[in-house]
Amino acid sequence: MMAHVLAASGGVKQVICINWGTRYGPTFINRLYAAVARNITPPFTFTCFTDCRDNLHPGILCEDLPPLDVEMPVNTRGIWPKARLWGPKLGSLDGPVLYLDLDLVIVASLDAFFEVGGPDDVVMARNQTTPFERLGQSSLFRFPVGKLLPLQEKFRADPQKVADEYEYEQRFVTRNAPGGVKFFPRNWVLHFRQDCHRPFPLNYFLAPRLPSGARVVLFPRGFHPQNAIEGKFGPRGRGETRLNHIKGVFDASKRDGKQPFRYLRHYILPTPWVAEHWHE
């Protein structure tokens, strides 16, 4: 099936990402590129659609952010600027492209992501946080350039209405992609918090695990691979001894509004396997 999929892109595995603003920047982009290069069989291309090309690895093909003349929704949890990728063109690319978020960690070969489905299919990772909903995960998905144009047109007509109805852009893609969506195997793309982090109280004694069969590990918003490497948690990147963390149960300000049990569950030890895979 891989030959069938790649025939639509000239035999080249096309990997893309998108970057805007200052939240991520060259460190994340360069590490993602390096991880792709280590875990893919050539030929391949790695294209970053970005508003800043400074300090990027010379192997990265840079393109301007695709135009999207709309006011982005407010007060929504979805990452709606990704809608720029749904246009009729993506730079010089044509055929199937594999999109990757900047903050994920690649732990095994990506070749198989070009083997599922056909060249005209939209294929998504399964969303692990909503097991009872048939929902795709837009942190990693494959689609043919131009296939999602109807979604962009619907979004452009009333961005706030679409965001209010669907909340997350991945739900919008899952439910509206022309011809429907297919899914990669569940164990290929894992969620660090759901699949790797140890349950309480084991999280105080064992580092997060890397399940066998995993190819990519996603990280929840605000928690980055470097946090896992260092054993830090929460949006403030706090790292503490077990005892000091447990003492925080009695300090509401230290818990950042979390209930005591949830606060205790979020503790992690340093995670060596993330460091092994997340580097240039």
Short mmCIF file of all heavy atoms in Angstrom, two decimals, residues 21-64:
data_model
loop_
_atom_site.label_atom_id
_atom_site.label_comp_id
_atom_site.label_asym_id
_atom_site.label_seq_id
_atom_site.Cartn_x
_atom_site.Cartn_y
_atom_site.Cartn_z
N GLY A 21 4.16 32.65 15.61
CA GLY A 21 4.40 33.26 16.91
C GLY A 21 5.69 32.77 17.55
O GLY A 21 6.59 32.27 16.87
N THR A 22 5.76 32.89 18.87
CA THR A 22 7.01 32.60 19.60
C THR A 22 6.88 31.46 20.60
O THR A 22 7.80 31.21 21.38
CB THR A 22 7.47 33.87 20.35
OG1 THR A 22 6.45 34.29 21.26
CG2 THR A 22 7.76 35.00 19.37
N ARG A 23 5.78 30.76 20.62
CA ARG A 23 5.58 29.73 21.64
C ARG A 23 6.57 28.57 21.49
O ARG A 23 7.04 28.01 22.47
CB ARG A 23 4.15 29.20 21.56
CG ARG A 23 3.84 28.15 22.61
CD ARG A 23 2.39 27.76 22.61
NE ARG A 23 2.09 26.77 23.63
CZ ARG A 23 0.89 26.25 23.84
NH1 ARG A 23 -0.13 26.63 23.09
NH2 ARG A 23 0.69 25.35 24.78
N TYR A 24 6.89 28.20 20.26
CA TYR A 24 7.78 27.06 20.03
C TYR A 24 9.13 27.53 19.46
O TYR A 24 10.09 27.67 20.18
CB TYR A 24 7.10 26.03 19.12
CG TYR A 24 5.91 25.40 19.79
CD1 TYR A 24 4.61 25.79 19.47
CD2 TYR A 24 6.07 24.42 20.75
CE1 TYR A 24 3.52 25.22 20.10
CE2 TYR A 24 4.99 23.83 21.39
CZ TYR A 24 3.71 24.24 21.06
OH TYR A 24 2.63 23.67 21.69
N GLY A 25 9.22 27.78 18.18
CA GLY A 25 10.45 28.31 17.63
C GLY A 25 11.43 27.25 17.17
O GLY A 25 11.11 26.05 17.09
N PRO A 26 12.68 27.65 16.88
CA PRO A 26 13.63 26.77 16.20
C PRO A 26 14.00 25.51 16.95
O PRO A 26 14.27 24.48 16.33
CB PRO A 26 14.85 27.68 15.97
CG PRO A 26 14.70 28.82 16.91
CD PRO A 26 13.23 29.02 17.07
N THR A 27 14.07 25.56 18.27
CA THR A 27 14.44 24.34 19.01
C THR A 27 13.47 23.21 18.73
O THR A 27 13.87 22.07 18.42
CB THR A 27 14.49 24.63 20.52
OG1 THR A 27 15.52 25.57 20.79
CG2 THR A 27 14.79 23.34 21.29
N PHE A 28 12.18 23.49 18.81
CA PHE A 28 11.17 22.46 18.57
C PHE A 28 11.20 22.01 17.11
O PHE A 28 11.09 20.81 16.82
CB PHE A 28 9.78 22.99 18.93
CG PHE A 28 9.50 23.01 20.40
CD1 PHE A 28 9.92 24.07 21.18
CD2 PHE A 28 8.81 21.98 21.01
CE1 PHE A 28 9.67 24.10 22.55
CE2 PHE A 28 8.54 21.99 22.38
CZ PHE A 28 8.98 23.06 23.14
N ILE A 29 11.32 22.96 16.19
CA ILE A 29 11.30 22.62 14.77
C ILE A 29 12.51 21.76 14.40
O ILE A 29 12.39 20.74 13.71
CB ILE A 29 11.25 23.90 13.91
CG1 ILE A 29 10.00 24.72 14.24
CG2 ILE A 29 11.25 23.54 12.42
CD1 ILE A 29 10.01 26.12 13.64
N ASN A 30 13.68 22.17 14.85
CA ASN A 30 14.90 21.44 14.53
C ASN A 30 14.91 20.04 15.15
O ASN A 30 15.38 19.07 14.52
CB ASN A 30 16.13 22.22 15.00
CG ASN A 30 16.39 23.45 14.17
OD1 ASN A 30 15.97 23.55 13.02
ND2 ASN A 30 17.07 24.44 14.76
N ARG A 31 14.39 19.92 16.36
CA ARG A 31 14.36 18.59 16.99
C ARG A 31 13.35 17.68 16.29
O ARG A 31 13.59 16.48 16.15
CB ARG A 31 14.05 18.72 18.48
CG ARG A 31 15.20 19.34 19.26
CD ARG A 31 14.99 19.29 20.76
NE ARG A 31 16.13 19.89 21.44
CZ ARG A 31 16.34 19.84 22.75
NH1 ARG A 31 15.48 19.21 23.52
NH2 ARG A 31 17.40 20.41 23.27
N LEU A 32 12.25 18.26 15.85
CA LEU A 32 11.28 17.45 15.12
C LEU A 32 11.89 17.00 13.79
O LEU A 32 11.75 15.82 13.41
CB LEU A 32 10.00 18.25 14.87
CG LEU A 32 8.90 17.51 14.11
CD1 LEU A 32 8.43 16.28 14.88
CD2 LEU A 32 7.72 18.44 13.83
N TYR A 33 12.54 17.89 13.09
CA TYR A 33 13.18 17.52 11.82
C TYR A 33 14.20 16.41 12.05
O TYR A 33 14.25 15.42 11.29
CB TYR A 33 13.87 18.73 11.19
CG TYR A 33 14.79 18.35 10.06
CD1 TYR A 33 14.29 17.97 8.82
CD2 TYR A 33 16.18 18.36 10.24
CE1 TYR A 33 15.14 17.59 7.79
CE2 TYR A 33 17.03 17.99 9.22
CZ TYR A 33 16.51 17.61 7.99
OH TYR A 33 17.36 17.24 6.98
N ALA A 34 15.05 16.54 13.06
CA ALA A 34 16.07 15.54 13.33
C ALA A 34 15.44 14.19 13.65
O ALA A 34 15.93 13.13 13.20
CB ALA A 34 16.96 15.99 14.49
N ALA A 35 14.35 14.19 14.41
CA ALA A 35 13.68 12.94 14.75
C ALA A 35 13.06 12.29 13.52
O ALA A 35 13.10 11.07 13.36
CB ALA A 35 12.61 13.20 15.81
N VAL A 36 12.48 13.10 12.64
CA VAL A 36 11.94 12.56 11.39
C VAL A 36 13.06 11.92 10.58
O VAL A 36 12.93 10.79 10.08
CB VAL A 36 11.23 13.66 10.58
CG1 VAL A 36 10.91 13.17 9.17
CG2 VAL A 36 9.96 14.12 11.29
N ALA A 37 14.17 12.63 10.44
CA ALA A 37 15.28 12.12 9.64
C ALA A 37 15.82 10.80 10.18
O ALA A 37 16.26 9.93 9.41
CB ALA A 37 16.40 13.17 9.58
N ARG A 38 15.80 10.64 11.52
CA ARG A 38 16.30 9.40 12.12
C ARG A 38 15.32 8.25 11.96
O ARG A 38 15.71 7.08 12.11
CB ARG A 38 16.55 9.62 13.62
CG ARG A 38 17.73 10.48 13.96
CD ARG A 38 18.08 10.38 15.46
NE ARG A 38 17.01 10.85 16.32
CZ ARG A 38 16.90 12.09 16.78
NH1 ARG A 38 17.78 13.01 16.41
NH2 ARG A 38 15.91 12.43 17.58
N ASN A 39 14.06 8.56 11.71
CA ASN A 39 13.01 7.53 11.78
C ASN A 39 12.20 7.40 10.50
O ASN A 39 11.02 7.03 10.56
CB ASN A 39 12.09 7.84 12.96
CG ASN A 39 12.74 7.64 14.30
OD1 ASN A 39 12.89 6.51 14.77
ND2 ASN A 39 13.16 8.73 14.93
N ILE A 40 12.81 7.67 9.37
CA ILE A 40 12.10 7.55 8.11
C ILE A 40 13.06 7.06 7.04
O ILE A 40 14.26 7.37 7.08
CB ILE A 40 11.46 8.91 7.71
CG1 ILE A 40 10.31 8.72 6.73
CG2 ILE A 40 12.50 9.87 7.14
CD1 ILE A 40 9.44 9.96 6.56
N THR A 41 12.55 6.26 6.13
CA THR A 41 13.35 5.77 5.03
C THR A 41 13.26 6.75 3.87
O THR A 41 12.16 7.04 3.40
CB THR A 41 12.86 4.39 4.56
OG1 THR A 41 12.88 3.48 5.68
CG2 THR A 41 13.74 3.84 3.46
N PRO A 42 14.39 7.30 3.41
CA PRO A 42 14.36 8.25 2.29
C PRO A 42 13.81 7.59 1.02
O PRO A 42 13.79 6.36 0.93
CB PRO A 42 15.83 8.64 2.12
CG PRO A 42 16.48 8.29 3.44
CD PRO A 42 15.74 7.07 3.91
N PRO A 43 13.40 8.42 0.06
CA PRO A 43 13.44 9.89 0.07
C PRO A 43 12.27 10.49 0.85
O PRO A 43 11.18 9.94 0.88
CB PRO A 43 13.34 10.24 -1.42
CG PRO A 43 12.54 9.12 -2.01
CD PRO A 43 12.96 7.89 -1.25
N PHE A 44 12.55 11.64 1.48
CA PHE A 44 11.50 12.35 2.19
C PHE A 44 11.80 13.85 2.13
O PHE A 44 12.92 14.27 1.86
CB PHE A 44 11.42 11.90 3.66
CG PHE A 44 12.49 12.47 4.54
CD1 PHE A 44 12.23 13.59 5.33
CD2 PHE A 44 13.76 11.91 4.59
CE1 PHE A 44 13.21 14.14 6.14
CE2 PHE A 44 14.74 12.45 5.42
CZ PHE A 44 14.47 13.57 6.19
N THR A 45 10.78 14.64 2.39
CA THR A 45 10.95 16.08 2.57
C THR A 45 10.31 16.48 3.89
O THR A 45 9.37 15.82 4.36
CB THR A 45 10.31 16.90 1.43
OG1 THR A 45 8.89 16.61 1.38
CG2 THR A 45 10.95 16.59 0.09
N PHE A 46 10.85 17.53 4.48
CA PHE A 46 10.30 18.07 5.72
C PHE A 46 10.07 19.56 5.49
O PHE A 46 11.03 20.33 5.32
CB PHE A 46 11.27 17.85 6.88
CG PHE A 46 10.77 18.33 8.21
CD1 PHE A 46 10.17 17.46 9.09
CD2 PHE A 46 10.92 19.66 8.59
CE1 PHE A 46 9.72 17.90 10.34
CE2 PHE A 46 10.48 20.11 9.82
CZ PHE A 46 9.88 19.23 10.70
N THR A 47 8.81 19.96 5.45
CA THR A 47 8.45 21.34 5.15
C THR A 47 7.80 21.99 6.37
O THR A 47 6.87 21.43 6.95
CB THR A 47 7.48 21.41 3.97
OG1 THR A 47 8.07 20.77 2.83
CG2 THR A 47 7.15 22.86 3.62
N CYS A 48 8.32 23.16 6.72
CA CYS A 48 7.74 23.92 7.83
C CYS A 48 7.09 25.19 7.28
O CYS A 48 7.77 26.00 6.62
CB CYS A 48 8.82 24.29 8.85
SG CYS A 48 8.19 25.22 10.27
N PHE A 49 5.82 25.35 7.52
CA PHE A 49 5.10 26.57 7.17
C PHE A 49 5.21 27.51 8.37
O PHE A 49 4.71 27.19 9.45
CB PHE A 49 3.65 26.25 6.82
CG PHE A 49 3.53 25.37 5.60
CD1 PHE A 49 3.50 23.99 5.71
CD2 PHE A 49 3.49 25.93 4.33
CE1 PHE A 49 3.41 23.18 4.59
CE2 PHE A 49 3.41 25.14 3.20
CZ PHE A 49 3.37 23.76 3.33
N THR A 50 5.88 28.63 8.19
CA THR A 50 6.26 29.43 9.35
C THR A 50 6.33 30.92 9.03
O THR A 50 6.48 31.31 7.86
CB THR A 50 7.64 28.96 9.87
OG1 THR A 50 8.01 29.72 11.02
CG2 THR A 50 8.71 29.09 8.80
N ASP A 51 6.23 31.73 10.08
CA ASP A 51 6.38 33.17 9.93
C ASP A 51 7.78 33.63 10.34
O ASP A 51 8.06 34.83 10.37
CB ASP A 51 5.31 33.93 10.73
CG ASP A 51 5.32 33.55 12.22
OD1 ASP A 51 6.19 32.75 12.63
OD2 ASP A 51 4.45 34.04 12.95
N CYS A 52 8.67 32.69 10.66
CA CYS A 52 10.05 33.04 11.01
C CYS A 52 10.97 31.88 10.63
O CYS A 52 10.79 30.75 11.10
CB CYS A 52 10.17 33.34 12.50
SG CYS A 52 11.85 33.79 13.01
N ARG A 53 11.97 32.16 9.81
CA ARG A 53 12.87 31.11 9.31
C ARG A 53 14.24 31.14 9.99
O ARG A 53 15.14 30.41 9.60
CB ARG A 53 13.05 31.26 7.79
CG ARG A 53 11.73 31.30 7.03
CD ARG A 53 11.93 31.37 5.55
NE ARG A 53 10.65 31.45 4.83
CZ ARG A 53 10.49 31.10 3.57
NH1 ARG A 53 11.52 30.67 2.85
NH2 ARG A 53 9.30 31.20 2.99
N ASP A 54 14.41 31.94 11.01
CA ASP A 54 15.70 32.11 11.66
C ASP A 54 16.14 30.83 12.37
O ASP A 54 15.34 30.17 13.04
CB ASP A 54 15.66 33.25 12.68
CG ASP A 54 15.38 34.60 12.03
OD1 ASP A 54 15.57 34.72 10.80
OD2 ASP A 54 14.98 35.53 12.77
N ASN A 55 17.43 30.52 12.23
CA ASN A 55 18.09 29.45 13.01
C ASN A 55 17.52 28.06 12.77
O ASN A 55 17.60 27.20 13.66
CB ASN A 55 18.02 29.79 14.51
CG ASN A 55 18.66 31.11 14.84
OD1 ASN A 55 19.76 31.41 14.39
ND2 ASN A 55 17.96 31.92 15.62
N LEU A 56 16.98 27.83 11.58
CA LEU A 56 16.46 26.50 11.26
C LEU A 56 17.50 25.68 10.51
O LEU A 56 18.33 26.21 9.78
CB LEU A 56 15.17 26.62 10.44
CG LEU A 56 13.98 27.26 11.15
CD1 LEU A 56 12.76 27.27 10.24
CD2 LEU A 56 13.68 26.55 12.47
N HIS A 57 17.45 24.38 10.69
CA HIS A 57 18.37 23.45 10.04
C HIS A 57 18.26 23.61 8.52
O HIS A 57 17.15 23.74 7.99
CB HIS A 57 18.04 22.02 10.45
CG HIS A 57 19.04 21.00 10.01
ND1 HIS A 57 19.12 20.54 8.73
CD2 HIS A 57 20.02 20.36 10.71
CE1 HIS A 57 20.09 19.65 8.62
NE2 HIS A 57 20.65 19.52 9.81
N PRO A 58 19.39 23.57 7.81
CA PRO A 58 19.33 23.77 6.36
C PRO A 58 18.55 22.69 5.61
O PRO A 58 18.14 22.90 4.46
CB PRO A 58 20.81 23.77 5.94
CG PRO A 58 21.54 23.13 7.07
CD PRO A 58 20.78 23.46 8.30
N GLY A 59 18.34 21.54 6.24
CA GLY A 59 17.56 20.49 5.59
C GLY A 59 16.06 20.73 5.60
O GLY A 59 15.31 20.03 4.92
N ILE A 60 15.62 21.72 6.36
CA ILE A 60 14.19 22.04 6.46
C ILE A 60 13.78 22.94 5.30
O ILE A 60 14.41 23.97 5.05
CB ILE A 60 13.88 22.73 7.80
CG1 ILE A 60 14.22 21.79 8.96
CG2 ILE A 60 12.41 23.17 7.86
CD1 ILE A 60 14.11 22.45 10.33
N LEU A 61 12.75 22.54 4.59
CA LEU A 61 12.19 23.37 3.53
C LEU A 61 11.19 24.33 4.15
O LEU A 61 10.21 23.90 4.76
CB LEU A 61 11.51 22.50 2.48
CG LEU A 61 12.37 21.39 1.85
CD1 LEU A 61 11.54 20.56 0.87
CD2 LEU A 61 13.58 22.00 1.15
N CYS A 62 11.44 25.61 4.05
CA CYS A 62 10.58 26.61 4.68
C CYS A 62 9.63 27.22 3.66
O CYS A 62 10.02 27.54 2.54
CB CYS A 62 11.41 27.71 5.31
SG CYS A 62 12.40 27.14 6.72
N GLU A 63 8.40 27.37 4.05
CA GLU A 63 7.38 28.02 3.24
C GLU A 63 6.66 29.03 4.13
O GLU A 63 6.54 28.84 5.34
CB GLU A 63 6.36 27.01 2.69
CG GLU A 63 6.92 25.96 1.77
CD GLU A 63 6.91 26.39 0.31
OE1 GLU A 63 6.57 27.57 0.05
OE2 GLU A 63 7.23 25.56 -0.55
N ASP A 64 6.16 30.11 3.52
CA ASP A 64 5.36 31.08 4.26
C ASP A 64 4.08 30.43 4.77
O ASP A 64 3.58 29.44 4.18
CB ASP A 64 5.02 32.28 3.39
CG ASP A 64 6.24 33.11 3.03
OD1 ASP A 64 7.24 33.04 3.76
OD2 ASP A 64 6.17 33.82 2.00
#
